[in-house]
Amino acid sequence: MINVHEVFSTSITLDEVERANQEFEQTSSDPSDKAVRLCHASTLLPLQYERFGHAFIPFSPMLCAFYAGSDQDKGDTSIYVVRIEADGSHSSVQKLACPQLNQHSHSTPVMFYLNQGESMRARRRGEGGHLIDTAAGKAPTVADTLIAEAQKLYPSMDIKGTDESIIALVYKAGKADSATVSYLSMSFNDGRHFITPREMVPDTAVKGRGPVRTKPYLVRKGPYAGRVIMPCSVDSNEGLAFVDYSDDDLRTLHQSNEITPSTELKEASAKAVFANGVVQAALFEDLGNHATEDNDLSSLGKEELEQKLSRVHMIMSARGSQVYVADSEDAGSTFSEPYAVPLYNNLAGIDCVTYMNRLLVCGKLVTDKDKCDPEAGAPLAIYVSSDGRSFTELLRLEDEPKGVFTSPYMQVDRRHHLLYVCYTDHRKAIKIRIFRLLKS
């Protein structure tokens, strides 16, 4: 069992976002008179230092990004980033200078630290382990171009391309009748400012690359150590999922096979009636990767352990449909055909993390397929599983079944036993909550 205790909560309101919007418009070359009326699809990034730690608020400063505008379909949504200090104050709200004007939408931002893989690979080499071939991917990104621009923009800063403090922000933008395009921005000063975004992979036919709404997964051990795996999906009723993965810290991308449930599986689920595909996938490690009192990894042989460390799973679903899981035995290069698990999704957005060999899944979910009804809704809750196949409710975040509490996002800090959660509150605020997790 896992015990959960809330230690902090806050909300980012439309008033804060509108003030940032007005400040931005005062200096804009193409000002708009539209007020901010909604915010949605948030992402969190706890910053990587603890010098602002506080006895009563046990977390480092963090960033929260989301999109906001007058209406999602009016073509004026933009990406905003809020920095939240260790005392809970919101020290800044930045509206990104998105260069894609008159787009149908700017949406689903994701933040992560850029250069985390090399230290994992160096540790693996230092331990005498072999690494898989890290050949460059077929899709070069603009990561190094943005770093070079920042070196000119901030001449007084000693910016190195390999700095582990560089923060990447990826989001989608698209016109009403065309596919979305992925854009990349970066911050070199702990999120206080993000430079002007660029199209992330400019020279490929598939423009929607990189993570979609949920965080990348970093392989920390084993023969694929240092690989960054990014969950992707095509957001439509016939949507499919795949991953982009990188063995050189996002300088180039590889793409996995496409993942979608078979027609027979969708018919057998008897609940894929609102959508036939899968959207907004999330990734999680193989359960049992951590040595604990009830999980002795020393019993595994070297080859068995290497196989376990190379295994990663994708959880996915669509609005009003079955939740599926697909498995990869080669750290995201290829995935199996999805299989159904006993969770049913009343709204599209779900996310997951692992903690102490347990899988935590958040969303407006039910475990009884007869109660899967988007019109009736369901409480926003976190479900827990010890095997990835059966689930029980761990924590109810919001009780109101029809409440518009959507697009949950989770991060876990295993070192300090903290669970970070953010989600949309009726598209009028972004809620952020932090829980302490303890295994009983």
Side-chain angles (χ1 to χ4, degrees):
M1 289 292 295
I2 297 175
N3 292 324
V4 184
H5 175 65
E6 188 164 8
V7 295
F8 175 79
S9 67
T10 189
S11 291
I12 300 165
T13 66
L14 284 181
D15 287 342
E16 293 179 80
V17 180
E18 176 57 20
R19 285 195 295 272
N21 177 57
Q22 291 174 356
E23 292 173 2
F24 180 89
E25 296 299 338
Q26 288 173 3
T27 60
S28 174
S29 59
D30 186 19
S32 169
D33 59 357
K34 294 180 180 179
V36 174
R37 296 284 183 252
L38 66 83
C39 55
H40 187 45
S42 54
T43 177
L44 279 179
L45 182 68
L47 296 178
Q48 281 187 336
Y49 53 81
E50 297 174 305
R51 60 177 177 268
F52 294 110
H54 190 281
F56 300 104
I57 307 178
F59 56 84
S60 297
M62 57 186 161
L63 303 178
C64 180
F66 50 90
Y67 73 79
S70 67
D71 190 280
Q72 187 174 1
D73 297 324
K74 297 299 183 183
D76 69 340
T77 55
S78 294
I79 304 299
Y80 293 77
V81 182
V82 179
R83 181 184 165 98
I84 300 169
E85 302 298 341
D87 62 0
S89 63
H90 306 174
S91 64
S92 64
V93 181
Q94 179 192 346
K95 180 179 180 179
L96 262 65
C98 301
Q100 310 79 34
L101 297 176
N102 302 315
Q103 295 288 297
H104 178 62
S105 64
H106 297 78
S107 59
T108 63
V110 177
M111 288 182 295
F112 54 97
Y113 280 99
L114 181 67
N115 296 313
Q116 300 301 293
E118 181 51 39
S119 60
M120 305 295 118
R121 293 187 287 271
R123 183 175 64 185
R124 173 73 174 178
R125 289 189 289 265
E127 294 171 349
H130 76 283
L131 286 166
I132 51 93
D133 181 16
T134 55
K138 296 181 179 179
T141 74
V142 295
D144 284 333
T145 300
L146 288 176
I147 292 170
E149 288 181 0
Q151 289 168 338
K152 295 178 180 178
L153 186 63
Y154 306 117
S156 62
M157 294 177 63
D158 183 20
I159 297 175
K160 297 182 175 62
T162 57
D163 284 351
E164 292 192 352
S165 61
I166 298 174
I167 298 171
L169 187 153
V170 178
Y171 68 92
K172 311 293 180 183
K175 296 184 183 297
D177 299 322
S178 62
T180 55
V181 177
S182 298
Y183 291 87
L184 175 64
S185 179
M186 292 182 187
S187 175
F188 302 85
N189 55 5
D190 293 325
R192 292 181 178 87
H193 180 261
F194 282 83
I195 64 175
T196 301
R198 282 178 171 264
E199 188 176 325
M200 189 170 82
V201 187
D203 299 322
T204 63
V206 180
K207 298 295 186 180
R209 306 300 297 265
V212 176
R213 202 187 71 79
T214 57
K215 57 200 167 294
Y217 172 79
L218 174 64
V219 182
R220 297 183 175 276
K221 296 181 180 180
Y224 296 91
R227 172 171 289 184
V228 178
I229 314 172
M230 292 159 281
C232 314
S233 62
V234 178
D235 197 358
S236 70
N237 276 355
E238 298 297 333
L240 53 86
F242 60 95
V243 304
D244 276 329
Y245 62 93
S246 177
D247 293 312
D248 53 12
D249 292 317
L250 208 70
R251 271 54 177 190
T252 63
L253 303 179
H254 302 263
Q255 186 173 327
S256 76
N257 60 307
E258 296 177 346
I259 309 159
T260 189
S262 66
T263 300
E264 294 77 14
L265 188 58
K266 285 185 285 189
E267 290 175 351
S269 77
K271 270 296 170 182
V273 293
F274 295 95
N276 294 318
V278 290
V279 296
Q280 298 186 2
L283 299 169
F284 63 97
E285 67 183 6
D286 200 45
L287 298 179
N289 261 355
H290 303 278
T292 59
E293 291 181 0
D294 58 352
N295 187 54
D296 182 11
L297 290 179
S298 65
S299 62
L300 297 178
K302 181 179 179 181
E303 184 174 340
E304 290 177 299
L305 183 58
E306 298 280 77
Q307 290 175 343
K308 189 170 188 58
L309 294 171
S310 302
R311 197 172 294 138
V312 64
H313 308 275
M314 175 183 285
I315 190 166
M316 66 206 111
S317 73
R319 178 177 179 264
S321 70
Q322 179 85 51
V323 173
Y324 299 95
V325 173
D327 305 327
S328 175
E329 301 292 333
D330 50 15
S333 301
T334 57
F335 280 85
S336 67
E337 182 176 297
Y339 52 89
V341 296
L343 280 177
Y344 304 87
N345 189 2
N346 279 304
L347 210 61
I350 61 174
D351 197 12
C352 69
V353 294
T354 58
Y355 171 76
M356 298 293 282
N357 302 321
R358 300 292 190 269
L359 172 63
L360 308 181
V361 183
C362 185
K364 301 197 79 168
L365 301 163
V366 293
T367 55
D368 182 350
K369 68 180 181 181
D370 293 329
K371 294 181 180 179
C372 182
D373 181 357
E375 301 305 319
L380 182 67
I382 297 175
Y383 286 77
V384 62
S385 174
S386 60
D387 58 7
R389 302 276 182 157
S390 58
F391 296 83
T392 57
E393 185 176 317
L394 172 68
L395 174 66
R396 186 163 295 190
L397 297 169
E398 300 288 350
D399 283 316
E400 186 182 353
K402 292 187 177 182
V404 188
F405 301 104
T406 58
S407 292
Y409 186 95
M410 296 196 293
Q411 288 272 18
V412 68
D413 177 351
R414 295 187 184 90
R415 179 183 174 190
H416 299 97
H417 309 285
L418 295 175
L419 175 66
Y420 295 76
V421 184
C422 63
Y423 53 91
T424 302
D425 180 354
H426 291 81
R427 303 209 172 193
K428 301 299 182 183
I430 302 297
K431 274 194 173 182
I432 300 170
R433 301 170 69 178
I434 302 177
F435 301 88
R436 186 171 296 282
L437 297 172
L438 293 174
K439 189 175 179 182
S440 58

